[in-house]
Structures are given as structure tokens and as C-alpha cells.
Amino acid sequence: MEKSLTTVMVGAIHLALLSPAAVAEPQMSAGASMGQVTSVSQLSDVRPTDWAYQALASLVEKYGCIAGYPDGTFRGNRALTRFEMAAALNACLDVVSDRFATKEDLATLQRLSEEFAAELATLRGRVDNLEARTATLEATQFSTTTKLSVDAVMAFQAGGNTRQVVDPVSGNTFTGGSYNPTVISKVEINLNTSFRGTDLLTTTLEVGNNGLDTFGATGIGTNGLIAGGAADYSGVGANVELSRLFYSFKPTKDLTIGVGPQFYPSDIVDTNSYANDSFTDFSSNFFINNPLIVPYAVNDPGGAGVSIEWNPGGGFFTLRGVYVAAEAGAPTGIPTGGGLFGDPYQGTVELEFARAFGANERNNFAVRLQYTNSSTLNISQNAGGVNVELTLGKFGLFGRYAYSDMKLYGDGATINGLGPFTVDPGVFVLPAGGQVNTTAQTWMAGLAYRDLLAEGSLLAAAVGQPFINSLASASGINDATQTNYELFFRYPLSDNITITPVFMAITNANNSATNSPIFQGLIRTTFSF
């Protein structure tokens, strides 16, 4: 036997036993191999420049014991399974023993086997150890269908106002000066389960420390217009709660249907690459979602409902629809009864066009046209909106706009600066049994720059007005328009940890010219694993 043949055979044994991939690679199915090749040129992916070309040529053309795949390839860079190694080695040994082997050849092979006995035994031991460890992992793994991920945010913040801020509902006045610094935390534990590979059951548990920021503690807190600037991760309770329970599946390749007793409209519509997630980009809930397209009274508590997403042919257009009832678990509620079809609820339809372009598709453009019909605490509305984003290399531009036709109805129905978000007494009182029509607008715009100082970083700033209301009030509300500002720089310390300085400001809070500007700064640290 020629030395090249024995060397290749021993090398094949060595590689097959050494590679962990050989243990995990699935066995080649019956019939997956093509017929015996008679020339190395029949293997389309083997080149004369390949390091093993001469050895393959010898095995194919001289000994005739190598076969390829049905498509005429050899796939020399693919990991070899132990089954495949055994089949290939047996084929070559059969040829050697039946046609070519001499006593000298067999003696040489025996000598090589004995010479490398210790090394082969060591390699077999390593493979056996890997098999044992794999079996242990499979026996003790968390789940064969579920992946666990955790997002945790910790933020230190401080802020204040220069003169005073008046709560238009309670009448309380917050005098000028700084507020005590606070520490805010929020943790989301996500269990993502797939039973068929094309479906997903999302279960999210949420817990915080009841921490409030300056904007959340000022004025009317979590119910008022200032809450449009409050950090989205503030005010989360210290008790573990079910944040999401939502199941989605694909009846066809291009269609996704979702249903669940607890999820959020913003999980389905009004996404944006630059302004959508308080863990990674803007902190204030106003810059995360359009307040007229995704009303706070529904999106804050979430609720039960259904969603649909259709992307024909995987192309540029995607149609989405979502319906969520915030009091679906209560047969009665305030003001017009709960249940799946009771107040508060929202239904939204969104048509998206998104396309990547440029060299290596580094740039992209997306526009989303939106319509929302909602009834939220004695305020019904029909709102139309647009959500756009443009990426040019490392630069990004983004914005949202919406216009709403509102109706305030019911005995004693009232409105504050937030319009569809909440109803509080004392600001505007309807006549008994009456109805008042009004309009509202909202807008925001921003710019961003990626990978500044480090890959994965994001510097972004935005400005906007949450609620431009046509309905003036004698109590000093809506005699001005609130304007929100936010600037942040997200810097990755590692793949799992980011630190983000944030600066936020609000002028004419609660749409009142008498309220002084409010400022706050945060240092946000996010852990994802």
C-alpha cells in the first residue's frame, strides 16, 4: 500500500474523533450520497489548489472508495459524523483488503495503528467525555422549547423646576427648586416558547421598586401630560406581575396571527428603530410611542386582544392590525362597562413600506401609515398618523405625527391636557348629557448617530409636542403647548451591559404658560442576558 493512502486514512480517523462537531452533526440519510465517482473532476467544489487535492485524487481514481453528494459536491469543509467516517473508512478498507492489500501493506497499517494507539485512545476518551457532557446537558436543560432572557434597568436621576408647576386637577403647586434624587429599577423576565418553530408563546414577568423620576412625581404624576415625559421604566411596582402572555402563529408563510389575554398595542404597531424601547433608546414614553395612535389609557396597562401581520411574498409592504381591550377581565367597569368590547379599548391598522438600499444595503427607509379608533374613559377618537425613519450609513432621521378628531361625551365627562389618556375632574366639565367635539395633534422628530467612540453606541436627540389641543380652558389649561426634549448617549460596556446618560426637559408643562420649565438628568444602566 502507498504511504499516501495510509496517511489519509489515519488522518481521517484522527479528525473524525477529534472534532466535537462530528458528534453533533446529523447522520447522512440513506440515499444522500451520489454514485461512486471515477474522477476527482466530477466533484464540482474540489479545486487543484485545495490542500487535500492529491489525496482525494488518489482515493477516487486509484482506489475508487470516495463518493460525493447528489448535487455533485464533496463538501470538504463540512464536519464528518462518526457514521459517515465509519462508512467511508469501511469502503476504503474493503477495497484495500480485497484488491490492493499486500502483507506488507497490512503490516504497515497494523504498525501505524499500534504506534498511534495511545493518541487514538486519548481522542476516544475525549469524544466519550463530550458525549457524556452532552447527555447531562440534555437531561438537565431548562426546556427543550423555551428560551429565557432577562432585561434589567437601573437608573439614578435628579431634576427640578425653576419657579412652579401647577397640578390642574388637584390644584397643588410645586414650588421652584430641585427634587430629591431617586433610584429607579425595572426587570423583565422573558420566556419565549416555540412548539413548532413557526409559533411563539411570549410570557413576561415584570417587577420594579416603585421608583419615580422628577417628571412622574410632578403635577398629576402618572395620569397627566407631564407623564408624557416621565421615564417609561418608572413607577413599576415591587410585586411581580404578569406583563405579557401572548401567542402568535403562522397559518401561512406570509401571515402571522396573535392572540393573548395580556399584551400591548405597541408590541404590534408604531415601532421605530430609533425611538421604541426605553431599555435601549429614549426613556420618556412620549418619544417611544405616538400618544394618539397608541393611547396611554390602553397601552399603559395593556389588555386582551388579537393581532394580525401580513407581509405578502416577504416584500416591502406589511399590513398590521391590532385590537386591545384594557378591561377585558372585568365584566363591568368605568365609565361604560368593561369586558372585551368595553371602554377603554383601541383598534389600529398600520401599513408599512420598508426597504434597504445602497452598497451592502447599509441604508434603509421605512414609512408607516396608521389609523386608530379608540374609546378611552369618556373620550372617543379617530386618529390618523405617520411614522417614518431613514438611515444613511451611521446617520438616522426619524419622526411621528398624528391628527385626531375627538368627542368628549357623557354626564360629567372631563378632559385635561392629555386628552385620550385620562379623564380627571375640575378642568373641563361637559353640560349634562352633552357632547363636545375637539381636535388634537402630536408630533416628534429626531436625529441619531451610530457607533460613536464604540461599535453599538447610539447618540440621539428628539423634540416634540405631545398634545396640541384646540379646546382652550378658562382655568389656564391649553393656553400654551407643552414641548418635550430628550438627549441620550448609549455606550456599550460589553455585549450585555450598556450605560446611558440622559437629559430631559419640558416647557409649558400641562399646556399651561404659567408652568415653569422642568429639567432632569438620568444615568441609566441596562443589563441584558
Side-chain angles (χ1 to χ4, degrees):
M1 177 185 295
E2 294 186 0
K3 184 178 180 180
S4 61
L5 176 59
T6 56
T7 302
V8 170
M9 291 171 60
V10 173
I13 297 173
H14 177 84
L15 291 175
L17 291 173
L18 178 63
S19 173
V23 179
E25 188 74 24
Q27 179 184 1
M28 180 166 44
S29 61
S33 145
M34 66 181 284
Q36 185 70 50
V37 296
T38 58
S39 173
V40 73
S41 62
Q42 293 177 255
L43 301 171
S44 61
D45 58 343
V46 175
R47 301 287 183 269
T49 55
D50 292 336
W51 67 272
Y53 180 82
Q54 292 300 329
L56 287 173
S58 177
L59 289 171
V60 171
E61 299 169 5
K62 186 174 183 179
Y63 298 101
C65 61
I66 290 295
Y69 284 88
D71 59 358
T73 61
F74 183 67
R75 306 181 192 177
N77 292 324
R78 175 182 172 275
L80 187 72
T81 71
R82 301 180 74 189
F83 288 110
E84 292 170 333
M85 183 273 291
L89 184 58
N90 183 67
C92 284
L93 287 176
D94 286 344
V95 172
V96 170
S97 61
D98 293 343
R99 299 168 52 191
F100 300 103
T102 65
K103 292 182 178 179
E104 291 76 11
D105 293 333
L106 295 176
T108 300
L109 186 60
Q110 179 65 29
R111 179 179 57 81
L112 289 172
S113 177
E114 293 174 353
E115 180 178 346
F116 290 99
E119 289 80 358
L120 292 174
T122 300
L123 293 174
R124 290 191 187 96
R126 292 178 61 182
V127 171
D128 291 341
N129 183 49
L130 286 173
E131 288 180 334
R133 292 175 62 185
T134 301
T136 301
L137 288 173
E138 291 177 347
T140 59
Q141 64 183 329
F142 172 72
S143 172
T144 58
T145 58
T146 302
K147 293 184 179 180
L148 170 67
S149 65
V150 178
D151 296 306
V153 60
M154 299 187 300
F156 170 84
Q157 75 84 37
N161 60 289
T162 56
R163 296 191 307 275
Q164 68 175 21
V165 175
V166 178
D167 178 345
V169 176
S170 67
N172 295 333
T173 299
F174 295 80
T175 58
S178 62
Y179 297 82
N180 290 329
T182 61
V183 176
I184 307 168
S185 70
K186 178 182 177 180
V187 178
E188 288 187 350
I189 303 172
N190 307 292
L191 301 170
N192 296 311
T193 304
S194 180
F195 303 100
R196 299 183 300 172
T198 58
D199 62 340
L200 181 64
L201 174 64
T202 301
T203 306
T204 302
L205 302 178
E206 181 181 88
V207 64
N209 70 332
N210 287 309
L212 291 176
D213 64 345
T214 298
F215 293 166
T218 303
I220 48 182
T222 57
N223 290 328
L225 183 55
I226 295 180
D232 186 62
Y233 41 80
S234 68
V236 178
N239 296 322
V240 178
E241 295 184 354
L242 179 65
S243 176
R244 286 179 182 85
L245 183 59
F246 184 71
Y247 180 68
S248 64
F249 60 96
K250 299 176 74 68
T252 66
K253 181 180 179 181
D254 302 330
L255 182 65
T256 302
I257 296 176
V259 62
Q262 177 63 29
F263 71 107
Y264 306 92
S266 57
D267 292 339
I268 310 300
V269 297
D270 201 36
T271 61
N272 191 287
S273 299
Y274 297 97
N276 198 72
D277 186 353
S278 60
F279 284 90
T280 59
D281 46 65
F282 289 95
S283 290
S284 58
N285 46 47
F286 165 58
F287 289 118
I288 293 173
N289 287 115
N290 190 317
L292 297 180
I293 297 300
V294 185
Y296 187 78
V298 178
N299 198 56
D300 176 53
V306 63
S307 72
I308 185 172
E309 182 173 332
W310 182 41
N311 179 219
F316 302 137
F317 288 94
T318 302
L319 180 66
R320 302 182 181 93
V322 63
Y323 175 87
V324 176
E327 295 289 339
T332 61
I334 297 174
T336 59
L340 190 58
F341 302 103
D343 190 341
Y345 75 84
Q346 83 165 80
T348 301
V349 177
E350 178 181 85
L351 177 62
E352 176 189 80
F353 173 83
R355 182 175 183 179
F357 62 95
N360 299 320
E361 296 189 334
R362 294 182 56 202
N363 309 320
N364 65 73
F365 170 74
V367 57
R368 304 169 185 94
L369 303 179
Q370 305 159 321
Y371 166 77
T372 290
N373 171 264
S374 67
S375 179
T376 52
L377 306 176
N378 273 344
I379 302 172
S380 66
Q381 69 154 349
N382 290 286
V386 59
N387 175 332
V388 297
E389 59 179 275
L390 172 66
T391 299
L392 298 173
K394 294 185 177 182
F395 289 93
L397 301 172
F398 53 95
R400 292 183 173 101
Y401 172 81
Y403 177 90
S404 174
D405 179 21
M406 294 183 178
K407 291 181 174 60
L408 317 180
Y409 57 92
D411 292 339
T414 59
I415 184 173
N416 65 11
L418 271 181
F421 297 139
T422 188
V423 175
D424 290 299
V427 178
F428 185 85
V429 180
L430 292 173
Q435 174 180 299
V436 172
N437 297 334
T438 184
T439 62
Q441 299 178 69
T442 184
W443 68 271
M444 63 83 71
L447 52 86
Y449 185 81
R450 296 182 182 274
D451 300 335
L452 176 65
L453 302 181
E455 184 177 358
S457 68
L458 180 64
L459 174 66
V463 59
Q465 295 179 320
F467 192 72
I468 306 171
N469 187 9
S470 65
L471 188 64
S473 170
S475 62
I477 304 302
N478 297 315
D479 60 355
T481 300
Q482 174 175 313
T483 304
N484 292 34
Y485 307 85
E486 184 170 346
L487 169 70
F488 73 88
F489 177 56
R490 183 187 71 216
Y491 185 83
L493 299 179
S494 70
D495 291 340
N496 305 103
I497 305 175
T498 62
I499 186 168
T500 308
V502 182
F503 174 76
M504 303 161 67
I506 289 179
T507 59
N508 297 324
N510 297 325
N511 284 5
S512 175
T514 61
N515 286 333
S516 62
I518 314 171
F519 306 94
Q520 74 174 3
L522 302 96
I523 300 294
R524 181 187 72 199
T525 304
T526 303
F527 304 86
S528 300
F529 54 93

